[in-house]
Structure formats: C-alpha cells, structure tokens
Amino acid sequence: MKPVKRLQDLRASLGPGLLLAAAAIGVSHLIQATRAGADYGLGLLWAVLLVNLFKYPFLEYGPRYAAATGRSMLDGYWALSRYALGIYFVFTVGTMFAIQAALALVTANLAIAMTGLPGSPLVWAAGLLGLSAAILFRGRYDILDGAVKWIVAVLATCTLVAVVAAGVHGPAGDWSSAPATAWWSAGGIAFVIALMGWMPIPIDAAAWHSLWTLERARQTGHVPSLSHARLDFNIGYIGTCILAVGFLLLGALVMYATDTPFSDNGAAFAEQLIGLYTQTLGAWAWPVIAGCAFTAMFSTLLTVLDAHPRVMRHMIGQFAGRPTLQTHIGLYRGLLLVIPACSLLVLYGLGSRFTVMIDLATTLSFLTAPILAWLNYRLVTSAQVPANARPGPAMRWLSRAGLVFLSAFALIYAGWRLLG
C-alpha cells in the first residue's frame, strides 16, 4: 500500500478516540482528579494510574471488536447471551440518568461562574440539556466529530501550561505532611471508589466507542483496519490519562494543605476550579480558562447525550426483534427527549447537593465495572472475533489483573458500607 493511501486511511479512521477523550475529560478530570489532589496531595496518584491501566483493555475491546467484526459490542453481547445484553441494559438504565444529571449539573455551574448571570443550577441544566438535544436532533455524527477536536486540544494545552507554572512556583502546602494512608477511612474509601468510577471513563463507554467506530466508517466510507482503530483509541486514551495526572497535580500544587477545601456548593466549586488556573497563569486567564472548562464540560455533556440514545435505540431494536429500529432516527430523537427529562427529575430530587450528585453517579459506575469488564473480556476472546484479532497474552494477563483490581475495590467498598 502506498504511503499516501495509508495516511488517508489513517485520517479516515481517526475520530472515535477523540470522542472518547471528549467524553472522559469532564467530571473525572475537572472535578474528581482535582479534588483528589486538593484533599490528598499526591496520596491518590496511585489510584489514578492503576485504574487507567486496569481499565485500558476493557475499553480498548470496543474499537477492537468493531474493527474486527464490523459489528457493535451490543450485537456481540446479544450473540454471546441474551442475558449479557440484558445485564448491559439494566446497568445502562440504572446509571444513565444519574450520569446525565451529574454532567448537566457540573456544566450548569461552570456556565453560572463563567457568565455571572443569575439562575438556579436546575434551570441552567435544563437549558443546556435542551440545547444539547437540539444540536443532536438531526442525529448527525459529524456534528460531534467536528466539535470536539479543538475543545480538547485547547483545554489540554491550558492544563499542562498551568501545571508547569504551578510546579515552577512550588506547592502551596507541605506535601510531606500527607500520610500515605490518609484515604484509609470510610469517607476516604468512598471517595477513592467515586474517583475511579469515571476515571478516565465508565467501562460502559466501550460499547459507545464501538458504535462511534461504525458510524465513522459509514460517514467516511472507509472501514478501519484493526491497527488503525487501536491507534485512534490509544491516542485519545493516553491523552486522557496524562491530563488526569495533570489535574491531580494542579489540585495538589495549588490547594493541598492550604485550609481551603473545595466547596460542596456547585457555583462556588466552579469558581475555585477556574481559580486554580488563574492563580498560576494570572488573572488575564480567567475568561480563557472559564470558557475552555465550560466548553470541555459541554462537549462531554453533548457526547454522552449522544451515546445513551444510540445504545438504547440499538438495544430496543434487538429486544424487539426489529433491526431497523437500531438506526431509526425517530426513536433516537424520542430518547433525546426522554433521557434528559428523567435526568432532570433525578437532579431535582437531589437538590443542590453538588458533590453528593457527583459521587453517586461515579460510584454507581464503579460498582458495575467488574461485571461489564468481564463481559467485554468474554466477548473479545470468543469465537465471534477472528483469532488474529483476539487479544494477545499480555492483554489477557492485564485483563485478568484488571478484573481482580476492580472486583477487590468493589468488595472493599461493599464491606465498608455494611460494617460502617
């Protein structure tokens, strides 16, 4: 194959990995990783690194399966077992409203901090969900694909510059005062679970990624090779891991041991978050950082709001025995209205308890992770996937270690809840 043709094929394959990055660089990075640094210094760096490592294979299996078979993981679950798809369906319904509510709440509070305009977070959240649904109403993948590239690049650049500036300035507090086991308490373990729940993104996203991979192929008319699909995934995934460490370092450098903990009030939290950048870059950076942070969260809200109707539409078509429903634009549009409406009800029920909302959504995601990880591993090692596309020995060992890691922490959390 000529070099020019290879380059064209690679460019046509790129896109779903950046969508995954856009969905990831939201609550897990802006909120949870920064809180981890502010509350524990570098004490939870191990958690960020390990969860990124151990979730890697289970998320990589999404584009791997799609490229190797030309089908989505949802089709694979269905062929594997009706119960497998049923489990994914139950977990999706059980978490998607809390996830969407949490994303809307964070984005709303950033909008309030950025604009200074009055209004309750619930009203802002409703407006932002409505705007997102309106943008996606035509069901066009290219709207997403074209919107996220510059957003992710600008926020990543600002974050890395802020971390370097904060490092040159030196930490605000004494890192040596942080005990290694500071997190070993009921509240600390609960936060670690919440931190890892969406770090860098829930394992549910493997199925989203498989659908985006197929949609990208339909958009470009080019079916990606396995190597190109994996490269696209790795670019987005490694980038999100680097940024997760960056946000944790930023929280640790600027806020740890300063007696100024993050507020539980959403608007105040957003002000503090943006302030992390302005303390290191200068006051001039406020509008730039506020705009970037809001835009990053809005891209996450938009991306996830696209993902949930896509997977629900696909599963409804499978359960109903009507494959045409899996691409039916009317069903997609109907779900674009139902899912935000139910998410707002969840948000209304929890009121203004900002960190409670975030921790609830991320904890639910983590507790379902071991089962979804096991399903993904079963799928890519099954006869559905050609032998040359199945994971090699290293990925298999990493998968098994990941299953142990995710299951152990889920059991630790369950034990604390029962005994605490």
Side-chain angles (χ1 to χ4, degrees):
M1 185 183 293
K2 295 181 179 180
V4 174
K5 181 64 165 61
R6 286 200 297 267
L7 181 60
Q8 290 174 340
D9 289 346
L10 176 59
R11 289 184 61 185
S13 302
L14 296 178
L18 291 178
L19 280 183
L20 188 78
I25 303 171
V27 170
S28 64
H29 290 57
L30 285 169
I31 308 300
Q32 300 294 62
T34 310
R35 282 174 65 193
D39 292 346
Y40 297 98
L42 298 184
L44 292 181
L45 179 60
W46 64 269
V48 171
L49 295 176
L50 286 181
V51 79
N52 275 286
L53 173 66
F54 287 130
K55 279 188 179 180
Y56 172 84
F58 308 114
L59 289 164
E60 190 259 14
Y61 292 156
R64 178 191 290 267
Y65 183 87
T69 67
R71 301 188 302 162
S72 77
M73 290 194 91
L74 300 175
D75 297 316
Y77 293 151
W78 183 254
L80 191 65
S81 166
R82 302 298 186 263
Y83 294 109
L85 188 65
I87 289 170
Y88 188 88
F89 179 85
V90 170
F91 285 174
T92 298
V93 173
T95 59
M96 69 177 175
F97 302 123
I99 289 172
Q100 208 71 60
L103 294 177
L105 182 62
V106 175
T107 311
N109 281 298
L110 282 170
I112 292 170
M114 179 181 69
T115 63
L117 297 175
S120 73
L122 181 62
V123 173
W124 274 92
L128 289 167
L129 282 169
L131 176 61
S132 300
I135 292 172
L136 296 170
F137 202 71
R138 294 179 63 187
R140 291 179 56 187
Y141 170 88
D142 58 335
I143 295 176
L144 281 174
D145 190 49
V148 300
K149 294 181 177 69
W150 289 105
I151 294 168
V152 172
V154 171
L155 183 69
T157 302
C158 290
T159 300
L160 295 177
V161 169
V163 171
V164 171
V168 171
H169 185 269
D174 181 12
W175 284 3
S176 64
S177 64
T181 58
W183 60 275
W184 191 256
S185 64
I189 288 177
F191 177 71
V192 170
I193 296 298
L195 169 68
M196 294 193 295
W198 281 3
M199 180 58 65
I201 198 168
I203 290 179
D204 317 35
W208 310 352
H209 199 156
S210 69
L211 288 172
W212 288 329
T213 299
L214 298 177
E215 189 63 35
R216 175 68 174 172
R218 282 191 287 269
Q219 180 199 41
T220 61
H222 169 73
V223 178
S225 65
L226 179 58
S227 61
H228 284 172
R230 294 186 65 206
L231 177 61
D232 172 61
F233 170 81
N234 287 332
I235 291 171
Y237 194 86
I238 293 171
T240 63
C241 297
I242 292 171
L243 285 179
V245 174
F247 280 108
L248 184 143
L249 288 174
L250 193 58
L253 285 165
V254 179
M255 291 194 72
Y256 179 71
T258 59
D259 297 323
T260 55
F262 273 120
S263 172
D264 286 336
N265 177 272
F269 187 101
E271 293 273 356
Q272 289 176 305
L273 180 66
I274 299 168
L276 288 177
Y277 291 88
T278 57
Q279 287 180 50
T280 53
L281 298 178
W284 64 268
W286 175 272
V288 176
I289 299 304
C292 287
F294 167 76
T295 309
M297 274 307 310
F298 184 71
S299 72
T300 300
L301 181 70
L302 188 68
T303 305
V304 176
L305 185 58
D306 173 77
H308 281 140
R310 281 187 190 275
V311 299
M312 289 299 296
R313 174 181 64 177
H314 206 91
M315 288 189 290
I316 289 170
Q318 285 168 317
F319 287 128
R322 296 176 58 189
T324 56
L325 287 178
Q326 296 174 5
T327 56
H328 196 280
I329 189 65
L331 180 56
Y332 174 85
R333 290 172 174 172
L335 290 166
L336 273 178
L337 299 177
V338 171
I339 292 173
C342 293
S343 301
L344 287 172
L345 290 176
V346 172
L347 194 54
Y348 177 79
L350 286 175
S352 59
R353 289 173 288 179
F354 180 74
T355 55
V356 172
M357 179 76 259
I358 302 302
D359 290 345
L360 170 65
T362 52
T363 299
L364 286 173
S365 291
F366 188 83
L367 293 178
T368 61
I371 298 174
L372 293 176
W374 177 76
L375 286 176
N376 289 0
Y377 180 67
R378 278 278 316 275
L379 184 57
V380 296
T381 55
S382 71
Q384 295 184 45
V385 178
N388 63 351
R390 295 173 198 165
M395 282 288 278
R396 288 173 182 255
W397 277 109
L398 183 58
S399 298
R400 293 165 189 155
L403 286 170
V404 171
F405 177 84
L406 296 172
S407 300
F409 268 92
L411 290 173
I412 289 172
Y413 177 75
W416 274 106
R417 294 292 295 175
L418 290 173
L419 300 175

